[in-house]
Amino acid sequence: MSFLAPTITGACRAKICGLRTLDDVLFCAQQDADAVGLNFWPKSKRYLDPDIAATWVSRLPDSMTRIGVFVNEPIDAVRQLLDKGIIHAAQLHGDETPEDCASLRRHGHSILKAIGVRDETSLEQLADYDVDAIVLDAFCPGEYGGSGKTFNWALALRAKEILSETPLILSGGLVVDNVALAIERVHPFAVDVASGVESAPGVKSREMISAFLQAVRSA
């Protein structure tokens, strides 16, 4: 998967998450976003029906990595969407176990595991996950991402030490005004944004997407 492939320059990559329209996904492709996130959690304000996403596939460029976001979805259902090629990778954003992730990887699929960071104890489980990348997000009770809140980036640096060679994707409260600083301090493999490029909950702003991607490239 191109999003997780090593780069010569080591430049930080960007994933725009929670897209709900084909036009917005195509706009992200035009702006050279590295990946888009399609949220398949029914309780999310950014929910997208997988059947709708399936109709988009033929119209999207091969270079655009599609990552499905799931929260406590049955693993067989996740694998079915991966097998069909509707998405290139799965981001498990709920309470999925290391065994759940391993089950999907055994079938040759790329898996990202999201961890909600509250304090240093949140990092204790990192080493248990054998995945393609770890997404660090802010812990928010009752929510699974997209809260618009940041967390202590010093914990992200500690996570990088624990993860060693596993790519770290930084999320949580990133916006155009702080993403360059986040990249400078953490040097993540990639950054992930949802609410930080929205004009209203679940409504993406193309101006904000463009500005965010430019800030990432300039960092």
Side-chain angles (χ1 to χ4, degrees), residues 1 4 19 41 47 59 62 76 78 118 129 133-134 142 146 152 155 158 165 172 194 197 201-202 206-207 213:
M1 186 179 62
L4 293 175
L19 297 162
W41 183 39
Y47 173 69
R59 299 184 59 183
D62 293 336
D76 286 345
V78 176
R118 176 167 39 188
Y129 287 96
I134 287 288
N152 183 352
L155 294 174
R158 173 62 185 137
E165 299 300 318
V197 290
R206 297 188 181 184
E207 291 79 10
L213 291 172

Side-chain angles (χ1 to χ4, degrees), residues 54-149:
T55 67
W56 298 353
V57 173
S58 64
R59 299 184 59 183
L60 300 178
D62 293 336
S63 59
M64 171 59 68
T65 298
R66 303 181 299 276
I67 299 176
V69 178
F70 302 89
V71 175
N72 301 331
E73 187 77 11
I75 294 304
D76 286 345
V78 176
R79 185 165 62 241
Q80 186 176 40
L81 292 176
L82 287 161
D83 288 342
K84 290 181 177 179
I86 296 172
I87 51 175
H88 299 114
Q91 179 174 318
L92 305 183
H93 224 293
D95 307 309
E96 300 86 5
T97 66
E99 291 73 25
D100 291 331
C101 297
S103 173
L104 290 168
R105 290 198 86 200
R106 281 196 296 270
H107 286 80
H109 296 306
S110 296
I111 303 301
L112 292 68
K113 181 67 182 84
I115 303 293
V117 179
R118 176 167 39 188
D119 51 36
E120 191 152 359
T121 63
S122 305
L123 309 182
E124 294 175 352
Q125 58 187 312
L126 289 183
D128 296 333
Y129 287 96
D130 181 15
V131 291
D132 295 273
I134 287 288
V135 181
L136 291 188
D137 202 350
F139 175 81
C140 189
E143 295 188 38
Y144 291 93
S147 67
K149 297 181 179 179

Side-chain angles (χ1 to χ4, degrees), residues 181-197:
L181 179 62
I183 293 171
E184 177 185 341
R185 290 188 177 177
V186 179
H187 295 286
F189 179 85
V191 290
D192 188 354
V193 65
S195 63
V197 290

